[in-house]
Amino acid sequence: MNSLQSSTPTKLMLQSSTFLLCCVVLIQLFAAQIYAQRSKSPWQTLSGDAPLVIARGGFSGLFPDSSLAAYQFAMQASVADVVLWCDVQLTKDRVGICFPDLNLANASNIQDVYSNSQNSYPVNGLTIKGWFPIDFSLTELQNVSLIRGILSRSERFDGNGFAISTIQDVTTQLLPKGFWLNVQHDAFYEQQNLSMSSFLLSISRTVSIDFISSPEVNFFRKIAGRFGRNGPSFVFQFLRKEDFEPTTNQTYGSILSNLTFVKTFASGILVPKSYILPLDDKQQYLLTHTSLVQDAHKAGLQVYVSGFANDVDIAYNYSWDPLSEYLSFVDNGDFSVDGVLSDFPITASATVDCFSHIGRNAAKQVDFLVISKNGASGDYPGCTDLAYENAIKDGADVIDCSVQMSSDGIPFCLSSINLGDSTTVTQTFFSNRSTTVPEISSVAGIYTFSLTWPEIQSLTPAISNPFRVYGISRNPKERNSGKLISLSQFLDLAKNYTSLSGVLISVENAAYLREKQGLDVVQAVLDTLTETGYNNGTTTTKVMIQSTNSSVLVDFKKQSKYETVYKIEETIGDIRDSAIEDIKKFANAVVINKDSVFPNSESFLTEQTDVVERLKKSQLTVYVELFRNEFVSQPYDFFADATVEINTYISGAGVNGTITEFPFTAARYKRNRCLGRNQIPPYMLPVQPGGLLRAVSPLSLPPAQAPSPDFIDADVTEPPLPPVIAKAPTSTPGTPSTIAEAPNGQTRLKLSLLLSVFFLSLLLL
């Protein structure tokens, strides 16, 4: 055996031990024995066992693919029997290394180290230019460092100097429970007089190999019968259906129709997700699942699925929730795949062990309020009937209404006082109502108080797309679905559902509306609550009134007994005792933003404040906003997984409720059966703020952020709300001044409204 191949470089050992300490800090491991047992529920896999979690290149969604750091962290953050995946490449001195691509430039800094060593080779009929492992010895590659292979991922670990690892490095230093070698280019190596099959046979004498996969039929013919009865499982990898398999010269789509042929040389198949759950061609929605899993199982083949990553586009059906995607492959009632190949094995582990085989009526393992933000506004236009109905169906405990006022004094639900933020009003003839209101915004808008309620009802709602700049959109099929509803309709809807514990009514801009528009939003809310039976004991639905203005909540306290919630908009680093005492005079609960709990620097958590602890110690309930499923909304510490984020705020920070645009994800977390165990598995422990930063090279650390200010009593105190000042007559279209008696006794306003709606309907056809 080559001496370089059997040696363990000092550099690798130092990196390994150093990184191990960082990982222990990052995920709070109690002890090695805390790994939970697999679910005992029946599985629809070929063997009846739980699906395997296969870590592609380790935890490659975070750390450089195939680095010892990535492999270490995958083992620490996953199920106990996680399988480590290694893409095998051969150096010119016939040493096997783990590297994700045939071109070393795609995930290492080799271009900087050996800038003049670029070469060209024919690969599967195409000439490829790059830096190839066959042109370098292992000694030469020890000067090369691994870096991210996907540019959208963090570059902070590129400077860590993670070395390229040999197969022996991975197995001898980490002792994985399962090890999977993938041979992607056997024909290429054979053309260069390097035998991948001979190498694997040789290394199998000292390394335990559990799986070997390849997309080339000829490779399996060469190794057939050479590993013995207790050798690794052979898995045939399917590439794109239109690609040609080099041995048979058939497309992979054609081979798929002859699984009995595959069974002659393999015990399993590895397929892309789309082979099982295809997407439509025009939009990213799921089509009916294929029968591939059932067909393969009938043929005696296990089915493994590739392509799982939390930070890539997934079908809109999953609401940007990667855990939902995994569940559709392992627990859909019709079949279960035998394993998933993932860049984020922590999510796959939680799916299999904590969230599979639990129904919506399963016992709740943790108690906190799931509060919607404009209903299920991640899936439907906010504050519409559809958004609210789906929030209730998704398991929200509390649905919310941000109250706005129309020019004719009707309170209704809308996320913003500017109609342009959540409707298509700018595309209608109401666009001439645009105005600038310095008290509200420096940007011109079409405000709710400029239109009557009938005019507002005629508008088309629009779904929120907060991450459009990243090319991420929400549920385009429903982008303009639903209808806007009044506060009265909202309250009537909530009364019909016993699953709801309460409603949250948000009131803003009350002083401006009283002084400048002659509209009393506080009284309008109180009157509507009375009219709908919320203050006479006919409903058990709790009412919470929220505002960023203490004066508004003081006014409500004087006139009612509803619970009040004070929202602190600013990001704060601490809160003074005097401010807490002032808040307690008029509020029962406080809403703070996520950064006030876990500050971050360039999407890396830096610490945990004691704001939540101090507020709760003073008997104030603490809710946190805003939770979203899109991975770009989360710091890297949460591994692009909304469930990890929720878990850290609930189990780690102890907040009393989450305000979310995706209530289903938060409601599902309550039924997480791993939380009911005496020992919580590592993939369900809250992350430790600052832990991930400790795994970053000092030279690559993000700049330190200035501390957030303290919240003091002066930030709380406000003058009382002004009295309602009647608005002076104006000729602005749609305002009360346009009302005049028509000859038939009807008002001209009513006629003009009918005509407006008529012409609007023509424009929208």
Side-chain angles (χ1 to χ4, degrees):
M1 184 181 299
N2 190 302
S3 60
L4 288 173
Q5 192 173 350
S6 61
S7 65
T8 303
T10 302
K11 179 181 178 183
L12 284 176
M13 290 193 296
L14 290 174
Q15 288 176 341
S16 174
S17 58
T18 301
F19 190 79
L20 179 60
L21 293 175
C22 293
C23 289
V24 170
V25 174
L26 179 57
I27 292 271
Q28 302 164 340
L29 299 179
F30 294 147
Q33 293 90 341
I34 69 174
Y35 288 99
Q37 295 297 316
R38 286 287 203 172
S39 168
K40 296 180 181 179
S41 300
W43 291 94
Q44 293 174 289
T45 55
L46 182 62
S47 65
D49 296 331
L52 286 177
V53 174
I54 308 157
R56 193 191 68 81
F59 208 120
S60 55
L62 184 64
F63 301 109
D65 192 312
S66 303
S67 63
L68 284 181
Y71 286 127
Q72 284 178 330
F73 192 58
M75 293 178 65
Q76 293 174 346
S78 308
V79 289
D81 58 353
V82 63
V83 177
L84 300 187
W85 167 285
C86 166
D87 286 294
V88 184
Q89 313 295 343
L90 293 178
T91 64
K92 70 179 180 181
D93 49 350
R94 291 176 169 76
V95 177
I97 60 173
C98 294
F99 195 85
D101 199 278
L102 191 60
N103 185 355
L104 296 173
N106 288 341
S108 79
N109 68 344
I110 195 165
Q111 299 177 74
D112 302 326
V113 180
Y114 299 110
S115 57
N116 297 322
S117 298
Q118 197 174 20
N119 212 335
S120 297
Y121 289 100
V123 181
N124 294 336
L126 297 175
T127 300
I128 304 297
K129 191 174 184 179
W131 284 259
F132 292 81
I134 60 173
D135 293 326
F136 301 91
S137 67
L138 179 62
T139 300
E140 291 170 324
L141 290 181
Q142 293 305 306
N143 299 318
V144 176
S145 297
L146 296 169
I147 61 175
R148 58 180 174 155
I150 298 175
L151 295 181
S152 59
R153 293 173 176 169
S154 175
E155 78 283 5
R156 295 294 174 186
F157 302 103
D158 289 356
N160 279 33
F162 293 134
I164 293 174
S165 302
T166 67
I167 291 173
Q168 284 93 338
D169 291 331
V170 177
T171 55
T172 59
Q173 294 191 45
L174 303 181
L175 303 176
K177 293 288 184 65
F179 196 39
W180 186 311
L181 298 182
N182 182 54
V183 178
Q184 198 72 18
H185 297 287
D186 175 65
F188 167 79
Y189 284 106
E190 188 171 20
Q191 291 168 5
Q192 308 306 319
N193 297 317
L194 291 171
S195 174
M196 186 66 75
S197 57
S198 297
F199 165 76
L200 292 178
L201 284 167
S202 174
I203 201 173
S204 67
R205 300 186 186 103
T206 57
V207 171
S208 178
I209 306 171
D210 299 281
F211 299 89
I212 295 177
S213 61
S214 177
E216 299 178 14
V217 172
N218 193 50
F219 168 75
F220 291 105
R221 290 175 176 170
K222 288 189 291 185
I223 64 174
R226 302 179 68 183
F227 281 89
R229 182 173 299 178
N230 297 321
S233 299
F234 296 156
V235 180
F236 181 61
Q237 181 183 11
F238 283 80
L239 305 181
R240 295 179 304 174
K241 289 184 178 180
E242 64 272 21
D243 290 343
F244 282 87
E245 192 282 319
T247 307
T248 62
N249 203 32
Q250 296 181 53
T251 64
Y252 288 97
S254 298
I255 298 175
L256 188 67
S257 63
N258 191 3
L259 292 176
T260 54
F261 164 68
V262 177
K263 179 61 178 172
T264 62
F265 60 84
S267 61
I269 58 174
L270 174 65
V271 299
K273 294 183 297 185
S274 60
Y275 272 52
I276 298 170
L277 285 171
L279 301 178
D280 60 15
D281 293 331
K282 295 182 179 179
Q283 292 183 307
Q284 206 166 310
Y285 288 93
L286 293 175
L287 300 174
T288 303
H289 69 74
T290 68
S291 61
L292 173 60
V293 178
Q294 294 96 325
D295 294 342
H297 283 173
K298 287 178 183 177
L301 290 166
Q302 292 183 313
V303 181
Y304 304 97
V305 188
S306 63
F308 288 96
N310 295 0
D311 56 353
V312 297
D313 289 351
I314 57 178
Y316 290 116
N317 308 67
Y318 301 127
S319 301
W320 293 101
D321 181 353
L323 204 151
S324 289
E325 182 182 36
Y326 284 108
L327 284 171
S328 70
F329 284 87
V330 303
D331 183 25
N332 59 35
D334 293 324
F335 61 82
S336 174
V337 301
D338 300 278
V340 291
L341 179 61
S342 174
D343 291 13
F344 293 83
I346 189 171
T347 305
S349 298
T351 301
V352 171
D353 194 32
C354 306
F355 291 97
S356 294
H357 304 133
I358 56 173
R360 292 199 175 197
N361 297 321
K364 295 177 180 177
Q365 303 296 330
V366 62
D367 187 27
F368 67 97
L369 283 184
V370 176
I371 306 171
S372 74
K373 182 68 171 182
N374 306 317
S377 55
D379 293 312
Y380 299 91
C383 297
T384 60
D385 56 340
L386 285 179
Y388 289 127
E389 289 166 1
N390 279 274
I392 297 168
K393 182 183 71 174
D394 288 345
D397 300 302
V398 176
I399 56 173
D400 69 306
C401 172
S402 296
V403 176
Q404 311 300 339
M405 296 292 288
S406 64
S407 64
D408 49 351
I410 303 299
F412 66 99
C413 304
L414 197 67
S415 61
S416 171
I417 196 171
N418 183 355
L419 290 163
D421 292 337
S422 50
T423 74
T424 60
V425 67
T426 57
Q427 301 171 30
T428 71
F429 50 77
F430 294 126
S431 59
N432 63 2
R433 308 275 181 96
S434 180
T435 185
T436 300
V437 180
E439 296 93 332
I440 297 175
S441 173
S442 60
V443 180
I446 304 171
Y447 292 97
T448 62
F449 49 77
S450 298
L451 277 71
T452 64
W453 175 234
E455 289 175 324
I456 291 169
Q457 283 181 295
S458 71
L459 298 176
T460 300
I463 199 168
S464 170
N465 278 304
F467 305 110
R468 187 183 291 109
V469 66
Y470 298 104
I472 292 176
S473 59
R474 292 175 171 176
N475 201 6
K477 281 187 178 179
E478 305 290 349
R479 63 179 176 269
N480 298 120
S481 298
K483 61 181 180 180
L484 301 178
I485 61 175
S486 67
L487 176 60
S488 177
Q489 292 170 314
F490 167 83
L491 292 171
D492 284 337
L493 172 68
K495 283 196 302 184
N496 292 331
Y497 290 92
T498 57
S499 62
L500 287 176
S501 62
V503 293
L504 178 76
I505 299 172
S506 180
V507 176
E508 301 295 340
N509 303 301
Y512 170 81
L513 291 172
R514 281 188 173 189
E515 283 189 308
K516 304 296 184 180
Q517 298 298 328
L519 297 169
D520 191 346
V521 62
V522 172
Q523 194 60 50
V525 169
L526 290 171
D527 289 346
T528 306
L529 285 165
T530 299
E531 292 164 4
T532 51
Y534 276 77
N535 69 346
N536 59 11
T538 60
T539 176
T540 58
T541 307
K542 181 172 66 176
V543 175
M544 296 185 286
I545 307 294
Q546 174 185 292
S547 182
T548 59
N549 299 116
S550 60
S551 56
V552 169
L553 299 181
V554 169
D555 214 17
F556 272 104
K557 276 290 186 184
K558 289 179 180 178
Q559 303 183 64
S560 69
K561 295 182 179 180
Y562 302 123
E563 289 192 17
T564 47
V565 181
Y566 183 52
K567 179 178 176 180
I568 300 176
E569 287 185 297
E570 305 92 330
T571 296
I572 60 176
D574 201 353
I575 184 167
R576 302 278 179 86
D577 290 339
S578 55
I580 294 176
E581 290 306 311
D582 282 350
I583 292 171
K584 289 177 64 177
K585 294 174 183 177
F586 60 83
N588 307 99
V590 176
V591 172
I592 57 177
N593 64 40
K594 292 190 296 186
D595 289 348
S596 295
V597 183
F598 296 119
N600 74 84
S601 176
E602 295 190 6
S603 291
F604 283 86
L605 298 187
T606 56
E607 60 178 327
Q608 178 176 344
T609 71
D610 62 355
V611 172
V612 173
E613 180 183 358
R614 288 170 54 75
L615 289 170
K616 290 180 66 175
K617 189 175 181 180
S618 298
Q619 307 304 309
L620 285 167
T621 303
V622 182
Y623 307 125
V624 174
E625 70 172 21
L626 180 62
F627 288 85
R628 291 163 162 160
N629 282 1
E630 291 93 345
F631 64 90
V632 293
S633 71
Q634 301 146 12
Y636 293 115
D637 305 67
F638 299 132
F639 316 124
D641 185 341
T643 300
V644 175
E645 181 179 42
I646 292 168
N647 182 51
T648 301
Y649 278 88
I650 298 299
S651 299
V655 305
N656 301 108
T658 57
I659 300 175
T660 174
E661 296 178 331
F662 295 88
F664 177 80
T665 302
R668 182 189 57 204
Y669 168 77
K670 287 186 174 187
R671 303 187 299 276
N672 171 357
R673 65 166 168 267
C674 288
L675 298 179
R677 298 174 182 168
N678 292 330
Q679 292 180 318
I680 308 299
Y683 35 88
M684 258 313 126
L685 291 173
V687 302
Q688 183 171 345
L692 190 57
L693 273 179
R694 296 176 197 176
V696 175
S697 165
L699 296 177
S700 301
L701 288 171
Q705 301 294 306
S708 298
D710 290 357
F711 197 73
I712 61 177
D713 47 356
D715 297 317
V716 181
T717 306
E718 293 178 349
L721 285 178
V724 179
I725 301 174
K727 187 179 179 183
T730 175
S731 59
T732 302
T735 62
S737 64
T738 64
I739 300 176
E741 285 295 320
N744 61 0
Q746 300 292 322
T747 64
R748 289 176 184 166
L749 174 61
K750 290 180 180 178
L751 179 60
S752 68
L753 290 178
L754 290 173
L755 291 174
S756 296
V757 174
F758 173 73
F759 285 117
L760 178 59
S761 65
L762 290 179
L763 287 173
L764 295 177
L765 288 177

